[in-house]
Amino acid sequence: MCRFLLLLCLTMLLVQPVLAQVLVGLPGTVRVAENSGPGTEVVNFSLENCGIANPTVTINGVTPACTYFNPPAVNNAAVINTFAVQITLSSTTALDFELVNQYQLNIIANCGTGVIIQGLLTVQVTDVNEPPQCEEKFTSTVGETVQVLENVSPLIPIYNVVIQGPVSGILTYTITQPNLATFSITNLGQVMPPSTGFNYNTRNNFKLSITVTDGNGRSCSGTLNVVVLPVYNNVIKFTPITAAAAIAENKGPLYKVTTVSASGNNVLYEMITLTSFFSVAKETGVVSTTSNLDLEQNPELANTILTIKAYDKYNHSNSATITVTVTVTDVNKLPPTCTPAVFVKEVPETTPTGTTLVGFTCIDPDFSATTLTYKIVPNSSSMYNFKMSGSSLQVNSTLTYDSAEIASLNFQYSAILEVTDAGTPPLTTKIPIFVTVTPVNQYPPVCGTLRSFTVNEDAPFDTVIGSVNATDKDYKFNNVQYMISGGDSNNPPLFYINPRSGEIHLLSSLDFEKRTTYNLVVQVVDLNNDILPDPKAQKTATCPITIQVQDINDNPPICNPPFYDVTIYSTLSIQAPILTLQCDDIDLNSVLSYSVVGGNINNRFNLAGAEIFHSTFSYIPGGVYDPLTFELLIKVTDSPAPQFSTTATVIIHVVPWTTTVPTTTLKTTTIKNLPRIVNGTVTYWTPDPWFVAVLTITGVLLLLGLSLLAWQIISRTALCHRAPQEAAEPLLQNRSNIEGEKDNPVTKTQEPQNKDRKDITPLSPLSLQFDGRAQDRVTGRDYIFNSQTGERRWV
């Protein structure tokens, strides 16, 4: 850093001698007169010891900035390595001592090889005395013209000579032509009229030559033409001086408001009031509009005061004014404006009457801003549902959701609000109103009046017993769901109710003899939630249902005992009953009938209801000889249809008792035993469907557990794999009796080995046939059944 500063100091020391040697004769200050013209030499100096053949010299900036100086001209001088430099004024020169009296020029000389020499030249502008400068029009060939009335006062100047630019010393004004003493001019340049005035009829045109001389004797001259105008006795006057007019605001432009008229001749009219809405015809005085008047945008037009001037065409000072008050009346041209312009809202159907739905903000945009009235125009769907309280829309009656009519309109009430102003004519704005009602679950279900049903005891599976027709006033109407929630004989399920239709179906067989009445509790749940799903909003009802089982003749008669063995004497009175069969039918309404179907040899026995009577026996040797033992087969039939029957066996031993026939030896005839029909009851187990399903699932789970245990044992001990055996599907039929039949067959013709022993009648082969197929309502599994015996088997 120190070395750099040292080198810089040495360079500056070397430059000083070069500058002194190179710019020779360049003064620090020169003077130039302000009236110097273009090309005037400003300064002349020489450039020496530059070292190149073509050096350049430039002016690098003028302060203040101007273009009054030409670029320096560089020429070879007589001395070797010396150049003459000259700076002159340019063609745009306009030096003015009074404006700028000094300029500074920065001169740069470039000698090549990086040598730049700078010099500063100060140019001072010197003041030069100039002659006065009269106005251009005044000094022109035609000169200035001024018009004066012939009755102008001699004390009022008619013209003032104006000098432009600076002046030197005191100015002297002289009228040189005509050489008349009629006009005079003051030392301020004011031209005064003749003291005797003007006479238009004698002379009305004068031409004056005026010279203005400054303190240095320099001067300028001009011409003044004085034109004398005649004075008329023409009085301009308005009578009266005020007027009034009224106009409606919507008349448009160029509409005539009124006409002003002033007395006098050559009258012209002029609007004095500054306004862009009214104008006056210059010659006729008709006041008209210039544009459409709008009080809403320009309320100040309601009362406008216009000042109109009437003046003499030839003498503007002869004038008068009138004041016209224009009243602009408002026209009802804008209907009311309201916020909101369309009203759309959702409300629950339980919205109370009198609830305010919205408050409308309405205004009359007209200038008069009249009062507004509100009116609801209903349609067929919203008749009387809304009302207005001032500017507020309120609910007038219940906005129900539960209506087929409103459902067809997408649950939307619509109306029109008419807002009318009090203008003339009245204008109305219509606001559409759309109120959508959302549902509210208001009503609980109501059970139907039919709550008792009957069903035959032999009704098949899935028989429709009846329907629980519950109703719900909420829309969608009667949209309810049913379920059996209580009652008896429904666990395991004996009845099933369709959740949607309410139909009660039979799931199992009925037996009037075991039970005649079932009481169920059906729970009805409505499905009409509010606008948002809410299970808590559901409403329920319980319907007690009674199912009466109708008796059907489905059981055969039963005789107790089914076998009778009696002994009688042949002399027993025919009117005395031998015995009375003890038969009964568990079907309550059954009526039993009796008939002898076998063993009534010689028709010795007859029946009277359940009583057995006989006719006279015959024990005549060599003649008709009745058997001593009768085996009667008595058929007991019930009614009504379908009819069932059973056969009772009655063995009657007859002891002959007679004294009229001698005892003889007779050949004993062996009576062949007739087949005996024995009714027996076969007991078998029929599990309910739910038990079968539970048993099956339990078995499957047990097998899965055993399989898992076996797999773990095999994986640990590497023993042989043994697949778990699946349990056989359980059947609902007990086959113990059938297997017993196979092992110990018994035929109908077999005689009982012991009278005290009751043989069990084998099942008919028909009982082993399944002639129907159905699906369990509870488990959903299929099974086959025997329509005769009611037996079932899972498929």
Side-chain angles (χ1 to χ4, degrees):
M1 186 66 183
C2 295
R3 292 180 180 179
F4 176 76
L5 294 175
L6 180 60
L7 180 61
L8 181 61
C9 293
L10 292 175
T11 302
M12 294 178 63
L13 292 174
L14 292 175
V15 169
Q16 292 296 332
V18 172
L19 179 61
Q21 292 177 1
V22 172
L23 298 178
V24 179
L26 178 62
T29 303
V30 296
R31 290 179 173 82
V32 178
E34 64 174 339
N35 60 350
S36 300
T40 301
E41 182 181 286
V42 177
V43 68
N44 190 356
F45 61 94
S46 62
L47 179 62
E48 299 179 358
N49 300 323
C50 191
I52 61 174
N54 295 311
T56 59
V57 179
T58 58
I59 299 175
N60 187 24
V62 178
T63 306
C66 67
T67 60
Y68 297 162
F69 304 95
N70 288 321
V74 181
N75 299 310
N76 292 325
V79 181
I80 298 175
N81 202 18
T82 300
F83 299 90
V85 181
Q86 183 183 33
I87 298 176
T88 60
L89 296 178
S90 67
S91 60
T92 61
T93 299
L95 300 178
D96 191 343
F97 175 82
E98 285 74 18
L99 295 178
V100 179
N101 60 7
Q102 181 175 295
Y103 296 91
Q104 287 185 345
L105 282 64
N106 186 18
I107 301 173
I108 296 178
N110 187 356
C111 293
T113 65
V115 179
I116 304 296
I117 307 301
Q118 294 185 359
L120 187 63
L121 176 64
T122 300
V123 179
Q124 294 182 347
V125 181
T126 60
D127 188 22
V128 176
N129 293 327
E130 299 173 346
Q133 294 183 5
C134 297
E135 288 183 330
E136 183 178 356
K137 189 174 181 180
F138 177 71
T139 58
S140 64
T141 304
V142 178
E144 185 71 67
T145 301
V146 63
Q147 294 179 342
V148 296
L149 294 175
E150 63 175 333
N151 61 349
V152 65
S153 173
L155 301 178
I156 297 177
I158 62 174
Y159 182 74
N160 189 21
V161 179
V162 178
I163 301 300
Q164 297 178 346
V167 295
S168 178
I170 299 175
L171 298 179
T172 302
Y173 300 89
T174 306
I175 299 177
T176 61
Q177 191 180 356
N179 190 10
L180 298 174
T182 54
F183 291 91
S184 61
I185 189 170
T186 65
N187 55 0
L188 296 178
Q190 296 176 339
V191 178
M192 308 298 291
S195 59
T196 58
F198 296 106
N199 188 345
Y200 178 81
N201 296 325
T202 304
R203 187 174 180 179
N204 54 25
N205 195 348
F206 298 91
K207 186 175 184 180
L208 306 179
S209 295
I210 301 174
T211 300
V212 182
T213 305
D214 63 7
N216 296 324
R218 300 189 178 192
S219 63
C220 65
S221 300
T223 302
L224 176 63
N225 299 303
V226 180
V227 177
V228 179
L229 300 177
V231 176
Y232 299 96
N233 187 17
N234 183 22
V235 178
I236 306 300
K237 185 179 181 181
F238 282 105
T239 304
I241 60 174
T242 60
I247 179 177
E249 63 173 332
N250 63 343
K251 294 302 182 180
L254 303 180
Y255 181 80
K256 179 181 177 181
V257 179
T258 186
T259 301
V260 295
S261 179
S263 60
N265 299 322
N266 302 319
V267 178
L268 299 179
Y269 300 91
E270 179 183 3
M271 181 70 69
I272 302 300
T273 302
L274 296 177
T275 176
S276 59
F277 298 101
F278 300 96
S279 65
V280 61
K282 188 174 184 179
E283 297 182 353
T284 62
V286 174
V287 179
S288 59
T289 59
T290 58
S291 61
N292 189 50
L293 305 181
D294 192 344
L295 288 177
E296 288 70 39
Q297 295 183 0
N298 303 284
E300 69 276 4
L301 293 177
N303 289 284
T304 304
I305 299 177
L306 304 177
T307 302
I308 301 175
K309 175 183 176 182
Y311 62 92
D312 189 346
K313 178 179 180 180
Y314 301 105
N315 185 7
H316 291 190
S317 61
N318 183 16
S319 62
T321 58
I322 186 174
T323 301
V324 180
T325 301
V326 180
T327 301
V328 180
T329 59
D330 183 36
V331 175
N332 193 29
K333 61 182 183 297
L334 298 175
T337 60
C338 295
T339 302
V342 177
F343 177 66
V344 179
K345 189 173 183 179
E346 287 187 355
V347 297
E349 63 174 326
T350 54
T351 302
T353 301
T355 300
T356 298
L357 300 179
V358 65
F360 290 95
T361 302
C362 299
I363 60 172
D364 184 0
D366 287 303
F367 177 78
S368 57
T370 59
T371 58
L372 303 178
T373 58
Y374 300 85
K375 177 184 177 183
I376 288 290
V377 181
N379 53 26
S380 58
S381 68
S382 63
M383 188 69 72
Y384 310 119
N385 288 111
F386 304 108
K387 66 178 180 179
M388 294 300 297
S389 176
S391 61
S392 297
L393 177 66
Q394 294 182 344
V395 177
N396 188 43
S397 61
T398 302
L399 302 177
T400 181
Y401 183 90
D402 310 315
S403 168
E405 180 182 359
I406 195 64
S408 65
L409 301 174
N410 294 325
F411 307 100
Q412 187 179 81
Y413 291 88
S414 60
I416 298 294
L417 172 61
E418 290 185 350
V419 184
T420 306
D421 59 20
T424 304
L427 299 179
T428 299
T429 294
K430 296 183 178 181
I431 302 176
I433 297 173
F434 301 99
V435 177
T436 301
V437 179
T438 57
V440 176
N441 195 9
Q442 303 178 81
Y443 307 105
V446 177
C447 299
T449 57
L450 182 61
R451 301 185 186 181
S452 179
F453 306 99
T454 59
V455 58
N456 294 334
E457 64 173 328
D458 64 342
F461 171 79
D462 204 28
T463 297
V464 178
I465 299 174
S467 296
V468 181
N469 295 320
T471 59
D472 184 9
K473 294 193 294 183
D474 289 304
Y475 188 87
K476 299 177 178 179
F477 304 118
N478 308 327
N479 186 19
V480 296
Q481 180 174 290
Y482 304 87
M483 65 176 294
I484 298 176
S485 61
D488 46 20
S489 298
N490 208 42
N491 188 16
L494 186 59
F495 302 98
Y496 163 78
I497 188 168
N498 189 305
R500 298 300 293 159
S501 65
E503 292 180 343
I504 300 176
H505 296 255
L506 180 64
L507 293 181
S508 185
S509 60
L510 301 174
D511 192 344
F512 176 84
E513 288 68 34
K514 293 182 179 180
R515 187 161 189 169
T516 61
T517 303
Y518 295 91
N519 296 313
L520 303 179
V521 177
V522 176
Q523 185 182 55
V524 185
V525 180
D526 64 9
L527 301 180
N528 298 313
N529 287 322
D530 298 335
I531 186 172
L532 295 177
D534 183 8
K536 295 181 180 180
Q538 290 181 322
K539 299 182 183 299
T540 61
T542 54
C543 305
I545 302 298
T546 301
I547 298 177
Q548 300 287 345
V549 180
Q550 297 295 315
D551 185 25
I552 299 296
N553 189 22
D554 59 347
N555 295 291
I558 298 175
C559 294
N560 189 18
F563 176 81
Y564 296 87
D565 191 342
V566 297
T567 300
I568 63 173
Y569 290 97
S570 61
T571 57
L572 179 66
S573 174
I574 61 176
Q575 297 179 351
I578 299 174
L579 62 88
T580 300
L581 297 178
Q582 301 298 321
C583 297
D584 196 8
D585 192 342
I586 61 177
D587 294 316
L588 298 181
N589 299 322
S590 296
V591 177
L592 302 181
S593 61
Y594 303 85
S595 63
V596 180
V597 295
N600 191 7
I601 301 173
N602 298 328
N603 293 322
R604 296 303 183 188
F605 299 94
N606 57 77
L607 298 175
E611 295 179 335
I612 302 176
F613 295 87
H614 73 90
S615 59
T616 303
F617 296 104
S618 175
Y619 291 101
I620 302 174
V624 177
Y625 195 92
D626 292 328
L628 297 178
T629 300
F630 292 87
E631 290 189 6
L632 298 180
L633 298 179
I634 300 177
K635 182 179 181 181
V636 184
T637 305
D638 60 9
S639 62
Q643 291 182 327
F644 295 89
S645 64
T646 188
T647 302
T649 303
V650 179
I651 298 177
I652 302 176
H653 302 280
V654 180
V655 179
W657 188 270
T658 181
T659 58
T660 59
V661 180
T663 303
T664 59
T665 303
L666 297 177
K667 183 178 179 181
T668 303
T669 303
T670 303
I671 301 174
K672 186 179 179 179
N673 292 331
L674 296 175
R676 178 179 299 172
I677 299 175
V678 178
N679 291 329
T681 302
V682 178
T683 303
Y684 62 95
W685 178 51
T686 304
D688 291 326
W690 66 270
F691 179 78
V692 175
V694 173
L695 182 62
T696 303
I697 295 173
T698 305
V700 171
L701 293 177
L702 179 61
L703 289 176
L704 289 176
L706 292 175
S707 300
L708 180 60
L709 180 61
W711 179 80
Q712 291 179 349
I713 295 174
I714 291 171
S715 62
R716 292 181 180 180
T717 61
L719 296 178
C720 296
H721 172 72
R722 186 174 67 180
Q725 296 182 354
E726 296 181 358
E729 181 180 13
L731 298 179
L732 297 179
Q733 180 180 5
N734 189 343
R735 297 185 178 181
S736 60
N737 293 332
I738 299 175
E739 293 176 356
E741 289 179 2
K742 292 180 180 180
D743 296 338
N744 299 310
V746 178
T747 62
K748 294 183 179 180
T749 59
Q750 289 180 330
E751 291 288 337
Q753 296 180 359
N754 191 342
K755 294 182 179 179
D756 296 332
R757 179 182 176 184
K758 296 182 180 180
D759 295 335
I760 299 175
T761 303
L763 293 176
S764 172
L766 293 175
S767 66
L768 303 180
Q769 297 179 0
F770 298 94
D771 55 0
R773 184 185 179 99
Q775 186 181 53
D776 183 58
R777 285 281 185 174
V778 178
T779 64
R781 296 185 58 188
D782 293 337
Y783 63 87
I784 56 178
F785 62 89
N786 189 316
S787 61
Q788 297 292 330
T789 65
E791 299 173 6
R792 304 180 186 178
R793 178 182 297 174
W794 295 113
V795 177

